[in-house]
């Protein structure tokens, strides 16, 4: 069993190390790269949602100024398919055949000398279709349903019998809309071949997987593919897959023997890189009159495209969120003629938590029990699935600290009882969790003759602060000042990294950096062990630590010497060590990995006449385990909160029910939260370093979003007396 | 000067000829003379022709603010401005706002101190807007800052930190501030 080593619980909120590049516009994002002689691609997308292509008309485009080639399913080379990952099967490669599975499917790729020429020529490509009626309604009985697609359905006890005999029951149905990830950075790919070697700049949250995928697709060794992603203009899940347009760009570059660059348009960002799928959820809750949960029945149906996989076990977390003896959770997915859904910030939890935490608020209201008190009465002190203790869970503290900071005790429990002029005031709260997630990860640490350190991994920093927090962590492990440590990432030639996703990277990469630094320290200690000139001579190499750039026996800083001295005496320019991490196994730990927890408290104001909803303030009390950098971690939580406010009040990807066309695929039509939608957001971190891993972090990228939807919906109920079970909550629902 | 290339096409209805024009752009105080397809936006001219990639393309439809630059000292969306429209006017981009001594502008410094960004993609546009906000006299309150910064989307959700950064930079003397 790992034990937590002594360390600060909350790391210094130093400024981002990449800040100077970001504020001066010198940080290079994928769309910013160009190479001499590059051609430009433009996508042509289908204008029907189902059927087949009868004929492509490409002559006009081919004859247009500057056009080099037009790829369609008729002339595109056959390529392989990427690997199946934790997210499911790879998206099928583009231009395979004449079948149309959704509106906006790529049907041609125009390559020209300039972007203007490519864009103009793409408009000249026409297709004749044999269109069929698309399946677009989630509850269309003709749609194929996948039952338990992830093997994650759960059942314990007898939920049906417990529901039947419960003193109090509640049945409710909740719906959530399609949302689109919409990172600000348009996705871009620049592909250049030299013989059979491929270099790609690509918008990705997982450079190592882009490399593996492109190697499989083009049948070349992984060592022949290099993927460069020093900066990513946001992802929120959209960059976790290797999408067809990436393959198209590399395919075209290989065919015309010139580098090709593609930048997606904003409307194409709605159909080409995933979205959060819509869903319907059915909740059955049984309780005693004292509010003790005795039965929970949580089922979901969410939308899925015709051929792809999407990881969205909406209901899974309901099996361990609370102590409850009889629980059943089931997820289904319906195959529709829609663009492929994918993970979007807090996948599954964003939706599942909305239903569960809304239902608990309904129960609290029904039983006249305070919503915080109801949750405390059902707190899962141990993992209810297996009885194991949690590796770290400060949810009780989240409730206590959050409620105190918010002033929850001022709440009059009666709906419509609080008012400020024409504003109906509502207080709402919800619990949040995001389950622990990690994948194998590697890092390499080097200390050089000048005493500085370079640490590397093929990770992506999508804005979470990976550059900064990993440099901080390595500086701590190596006993160096932060300005003596550089952390490099975003290059698939570096040691393999897991995805920047699922709130997993900081923990997994942090543990790999920890391992690499420990091994490096040991190498120095071993060199010094038999060195007559070293003050470390004879000391056990396993018992060393570092302070102020000097390596010394634990607790004896007076006996230390600098790394540079050891390197110099041995005629070395540098020493390097590789480190790894693998996800911990609960049965070996004797603990369940708890992931991040939080309690969200929200005040809304609803215009009594117009139904206008404003979020007035939010308090997020978060147990994120050890926090490496308070400033960047806080930014993760406020960012998640902003995303949650958007999901709850604004975001709704509208698909035309007849044609399957996305009707609001622009930033003018698809509303995301803007500055004036967001009040000051209060964030407080509680809890202790997680006991499950060496670095003790839990990851805070998702938990900031989880719970916001339910807390707002619950506050809207408190303000107005109206229970809204469908997202987004728009003013028409309150009139 | 206007030049028509590829004028003889077999299907001239569907194939608009490429019209080019020579344009002189003054960017960050330096003149640049370019021969441009008249369809080229100021944004693409800056990025693709002058290599000034600090100005970002987030939507190309005037809805996100990532391409905000100053034209004669006022903020405009470079994606909705044709390059030819900028002829004879002063264009300032994020590359032109740091001090001549290489020190960041006070607004840039405040963004770093307050973590007013995450992925950083919208940041050049946010900073160009924030600087203009001070010149416009729209930094009197947090509410005013929020309202007049609402043309610049930040999908990472750094808004409260952006407001804090602008509040501080403004409190220290507006657009002439030196932190």
């Amino acid at each position: 069993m790992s034990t937590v080593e002594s360390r600060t619980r909350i790391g210094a909120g130093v400024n981002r190390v990449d800040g100077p590049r970001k504020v001066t516009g010198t940080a290079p994002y994928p769309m910013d790269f160009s190479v001499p002689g590059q051609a430009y691609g433009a996508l042509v997308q289908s204008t029907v949602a189902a059927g087949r292509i009868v004929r492509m008309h490409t002559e006009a485009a081919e004859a247009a100024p500057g056009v080099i080639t037009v790829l369609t399913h008729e002339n595109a080379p056959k390529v392989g398919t990427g690997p199946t990952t934790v997210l499911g099967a790879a998206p099928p490669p583009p231009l395979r055949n004449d079948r149309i599975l959704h509106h906006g499917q790529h049907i041609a790729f125009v390559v020209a000398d300039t972007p203007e020429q490519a864009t103009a020529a793409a408009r000249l490509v026409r297709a004749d279709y044999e269109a069929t009626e698309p399946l677009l309604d989630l509850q269309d009985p003709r749609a194929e349903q996948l039952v338990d697609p992830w093997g994650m359905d759960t059942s314990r006890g007898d939920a049906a019998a417990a529901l039947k005999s419960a003193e109090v029951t509640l049945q409710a149905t909740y719906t959530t809309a399609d949302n689109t990830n919409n990172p600000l950075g348009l996705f871009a790919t620049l592909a250049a071949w030299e013989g059979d070697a491929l270099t790609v700049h690509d918008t990705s949250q997982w450079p190592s997987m882009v490399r593996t995928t492109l190697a499989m697709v083009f049948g070349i060794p992984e060592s022949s593919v290099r993927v460069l992603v020093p900066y990513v203009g946001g992802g929120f899940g959209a960059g976790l897959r290797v999408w067809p347009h990436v393959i198209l760009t590399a395919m075209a570059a290989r065919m015309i023997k010139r580098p090709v660059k593609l930048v997606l348009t904003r409307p194409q960002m709605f159909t080409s890189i995933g979205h959060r799928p819509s869903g319907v959820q059915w909740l059955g809750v049984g309780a005693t009159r004292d509010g003790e949960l005795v039965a929970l029945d949580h089922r979901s149906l969410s939308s899925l495209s015709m051929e792809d996989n999407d990881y969205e076990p909406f209901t899974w977390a309901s099996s361990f969120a609370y102590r409850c003896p009889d629980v059943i959770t089931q997820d289904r997915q319906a195959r529709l003629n829609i663009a492929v859904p994918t993970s979007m910030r807090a996948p599954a939890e964003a939706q599942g938590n909305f239903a569960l935490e809304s239902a608990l608020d309904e129960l609290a209201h029904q039983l006249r029990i305070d919503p915080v008190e109801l949750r405390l009465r059902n707190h899962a002190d141990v993992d209810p699935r297996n009885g194991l203790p949690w590796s770290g869970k400060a949810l009780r503290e989240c409730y206590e600290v959050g409620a105190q900071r918010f002033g929850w005790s001022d709440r009059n429990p009666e709906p419509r009882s609080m008012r400020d002029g024409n504003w109906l005031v509502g207080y709402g709260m919800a619990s949040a969790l995001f389950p622990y997630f990690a994948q194998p990860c590697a890092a390499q640490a080097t200390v050089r003759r000048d005493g500085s350190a370079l640490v590397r991994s093929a990770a992506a920093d999508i804005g979470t602060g990976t550059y900064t927090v990993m440099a901080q962590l390595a500086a701590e492990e190596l006993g160096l000042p932060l300005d003596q440590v550089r952390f490099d990432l975003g290059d698939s030639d570096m040691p393999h990294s897991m995805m920047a996703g699922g709130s997993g990277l900081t923990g997994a990469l942090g543990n790999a950096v920890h391992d690499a630094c420990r091994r490096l320290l040991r190498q120095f200690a071993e060199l010094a062990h038999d060195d007559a000139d070293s003050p470390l001579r004879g000391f056990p190499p396993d018992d060393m630590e570092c302070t102020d750039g000097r390596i010394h026996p634990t607790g004896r800083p007076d006996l230390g010497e600098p790394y540079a001295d050891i390197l110099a005496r041995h005629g070395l320019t540098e020493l390097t060590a590789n480190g790894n991490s693998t996800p911990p196994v609960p049965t070996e730990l004797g603990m369940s990995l708890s992931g991040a927890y939080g309690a969200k408290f929200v005040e809304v104001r609803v215009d009594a006449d117009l139904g206008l909803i404003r979020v007035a303030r939010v308090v997020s009390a978060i147990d994120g385990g050890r926090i490496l950098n308070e400033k960047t971690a806080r930014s993760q939580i406020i960012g998640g909160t902003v995303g949650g406010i958007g999901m709850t009040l604004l975001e709704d990807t509208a698909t035309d029910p007849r044609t399957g066309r996305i009707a609001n695929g622009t930033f003018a039509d698809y509303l995301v939260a803007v500055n004036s939608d967001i009040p000051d957001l209060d964030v407080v971190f509680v809890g202790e370093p997680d006991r499950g891993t060496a670095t003790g972090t839990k990851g805070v990228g998702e938990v900031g979003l989880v719970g916001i939807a339910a807390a707002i919906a619950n506050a809207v109920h408190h303000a107005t007396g109206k229970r809204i079970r469908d997202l987004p909550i728009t003013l028409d629902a309150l009139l | 000067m206007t030049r028509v290339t590829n004028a003889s096409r077999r299907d001239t209805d569907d194939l608009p000829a490429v019209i080019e024009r020579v344009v002189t752009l003054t960017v960050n105080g330096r003149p640049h003379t370019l021969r441009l397809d008249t369809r080229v936006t100021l944004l693409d001219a800056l990025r693709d022709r002058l290599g000034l990639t600090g100005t970002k393309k987030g939507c190309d439809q005037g809805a996100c603010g990532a391409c905000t630059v100053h034209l004669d000292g006022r903020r405009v969306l470079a994606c909705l401005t044709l390059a030819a429209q900028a002829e004879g006017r002063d264009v300032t981009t994020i590359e032109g706002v740091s001090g001549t001594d290489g020190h960041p502008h006070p607004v840039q410094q405040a963004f770093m101190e307050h973590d007013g960004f995450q992925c950083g993609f919208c940041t050049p546009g946010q900073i160009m807007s924030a600087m203009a906000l001070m010149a416009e006299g729209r930094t009197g309150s947090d509410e005013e800052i929020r309202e007049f910064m609402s043309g610049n989307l930040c999908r990472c959700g750094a808004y409260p930190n952006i407001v804090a950064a602008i509040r501080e930079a403004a409190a220290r003397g507006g657009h002439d501030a030196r932190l």
Side-chain angles (χ1 to χ4, degrees), chain A residues 318-341:
Chain A
S318 292
S319 69
F320 54 87
Y322 293 98
R323 186 188 65 235
C324 180
D326 297 278
V327 179
I328 186 164
T329 68
Q330 289 188 352
D331 295 305
R332 294 186 179 205
Q333 291 176 304
R335 288 208 181 275
L336 304 174
N337 289 108
I338 59 170
V340 54

Side-chain angles (χ1 to χ4, degrees), chain B:
Chain B
M1 173 185 150
T2 300
R3 190 167 69 95
V4 176
T5 56
N6 300 305
S8 61
R9 309 300 322 187
R10 51 193 165 143
D11 191 354
T12 48
D13 286 345
D14 284 341
L15 294 175
V18 173
I19 301 170
E20 293 187 339
R21 186 185 164 93
V22 173
V23 177
T24 298
L25 296 176
T26 304
V27 182
N28 301 326
R30 288 184 53 198
H32 302 269
T33 300
L34 302 169
R35 178 184 296 280
L36 296 173
D37 184 328
T38 50
R39 295 169 295 187
V40 174
T41 61
L42 176 58
L43 174 59
D44 287 340
L46 291 169
R47 291 179 50 82
D48 295 343
R49 301 296 296 273
L50 299 180
L52 297 172
T53 55
T55 306
K56 299 304 183 200
K57 182 184 285 189
C59 71
D60 218 19
Q61 296 176 318
C64 78
C67 66
T68 304
V69 299
H70 295 174
L71 202 55
D72 290 338
R74 297 179 60 181
R75 49 178 168 164
V76 299
L77 299 170
C79 76
L80 291 190
T81 308
L82 290 170
Q85 289 175 281
E87 182 146 41
R89 303 166 75 181
D90 284 326
V91 181
T92 307
T93 70
I94 190 71
E95 288 89 351
V97 302
S98 297
T100 47
D101 52 2
H103 281 91
H105 185 278
V107 173
Q108 293 174 311
Q109 188 63 41
F111 267 67
M112 287 192 281
E113 296 296 336
H114 290 275
D115 212 31
F117 50 86
Q118 292 173 34
C119 81
F121 189 87
C122 71
T123 310
Q126 300 277 359
I127 288 172
M128 297 310 288
S129 265
M131 290 172 63
L133 214 63
M134 292 175 193
E136 293 162 14
R138 295 294 190 183
T139 57
S141 67
D142 284 2
E143 250 182 17
E144 201 174 37
I145 294 170
R146 287 189 184 110
E147 185 66 28
F148 287 89
M149 286 301 290
S150 284
N152 290 81
L153 303 183
C154 170
R155 191 60 162 152
C156 296
Y159 297 130
N161 294 354
I162 290 169
V163 173
I166 297 172
R167 181 198 303 138
E168 177 175 316
R172 296 198 178 198
H175 64 282
D176 293 325
R178 287 286 176 271
L179 295 184

Side-chain angles (χ1 to χ4, degrees), chain A residues 235-543:
Chain A
F236 316 109
L240 294 173
R241 316 294 291 267
V242 186
W243 300 109
H245 73 267
V246 178
I247 294 167
L248 265 180
T249 307
M251 181 192 285
R254 192 177 214 187
M255 288 179 71
I256 68 167
K257 301 190 188 319
R258 265 173 80 175
V260 175
K261 180 174 178 176
L262 171 69
V263 182
L264 297 187
T265 66
R266 181 55 58 181
Q268 289 166 354
M269 296 280 283
F270 284 75
T271 54
S272 310
I273 55 170
H275 65 273
R276 191 197 299 286
S278 56
V280 55
Q281 297 177 66
W282 298 271
L283 243 296
V285 183
T288 66
R289 285 194 185 82
D290 293 334
E292 193 181 322
L293 292 176
V294 296
L296 200 53
D297 182 331
H298 191 176
R299 301 174 195 229
S300 85
L301 176 65
S302 62
S303 54
L304 184 62
S305 47
M306 280 295 169
E307 292 197 339
D308 308 273
N309 292 158
D310 177 36
Y311 177 86
E312 297 283 349
F314 280 27
T315 68
W316 175 58
S318 292
S319 69
F320 54 87
Y322 293 98
R323 186 188 65 235
C324 180
D326 297 278
V327 179
I328 186 164
T329 68
Q330 289 188 352
D331 295 305
R332 294 186 179 205
Q333 291 176 304
R335 288 208 181 275
L336 304 174
N337 289 108
I338 59 170
V340 54
T342 200
S343 303
M344 180 168 162
R345 200 169 195 170
E349 287 321 300
Q351 304 99 318
N353 173 283
F354 165 64
L356 178 64
E357 293 294 320
S358 293
L360 288 187
D361 197 71
E362 298 196 40
L363 183 67
H365 179 68
Q366 194 176 325
L367 295 174
R368 300 193 161 272
I369 297 173
D370 180 86
V372 176
E373 175 59 26
L374 180 82
R375 287 163 174 84
L376 283 168
R377 285 182 195 176
N378 292 288
H379 184 269
D381 296 334
V382 297
D383 188 335
R385 294 168 295 186
N386 50 29
L388 288 174
W390 296 109
S391 57
K393 181 175 178 180
L395 180 57
R396 286 179 187 277
E397 200 179 346
C398 291
Y399 295 133
E400 186 186 336
V401 173
Q404 198 267 329
R405 283 173 87 101
F406 183 83
W408 182 254
S409 59
D410 299 338
R411 178 180 186 262
N412 179 337
E414 205 54 45
R416 274 187 101 87
S417 63
M418 294 170 67
R419 199 168 174 130
D420 180 6
N422 209 40
W423 292 105
L424 304 172
V425 176
Y427 289 3
M429 62 81 58
S431 310
L433 66 80
F434 195 80
Y436 182 84
F437 173 61
Q439 295 176 297
C441 207
Q444 184 181 72
T446 299
V447 167
R448 298 176 290 206
R449 190 72 161 265
D450 64 1
S452 69
L454 174 63
V455 187
R456 281 171 282 202
S457 176
D461 183 344
I462 59 172
T464 52
T466 306
Y467 274 116
T468 307
V469 299
M470 289 303 140
Q472 285 180 275
L473 186 62
E476 177 188 291
E477 300 274 0
L478 296 171
L480 291 170
L482 184 56
D483 62 9
Q484 287 291 298
V485 180
R486 195 172 98 205
F487 190 83
D488 271 358
L489 51 70
D491 179 346
S492 65
D493 280 358
M494 295 175 183
H496 175 277
S497 172
M498 70 166 280
M499 64 172 78
S503 293
L505 181 62
T506 299
L509 180 55
N511 289 326
V513 167
H514 166 85
D515 188 45
C517 291
R518 286 303 163 104
R519 288 171 189 269
L520 184 58
L521 207 57
R522 192 188 159 90
Q523 283 190 29
F524 275 100
E526 283 172 351
L527 271 183
H529 183 264
D530 301 320
D531 181 348
D533 296 328
S534 173
L536 305 176
R537 184 184 179 200
F539 283 97
D542 275 337
D543 199 20

Side-chain angles (χ1 to χ4, degrees), chain A residues 528-529 531-539 544 550-553 556-562 565-566 569:
Chain A
H529 183 264
D531 181 348
D533 296 328
S534 173
L536 305 176
R537 184 184 179 200
F539 283 97
M544 293 285 167
R550 296 164 69 84
I551 180 168
H552 59 81
R556 294 293 306 276
D558 54 309
L559 291 178
E561 67 170 333
D565 289 5
I566 300 175
R569 274 203 311 279

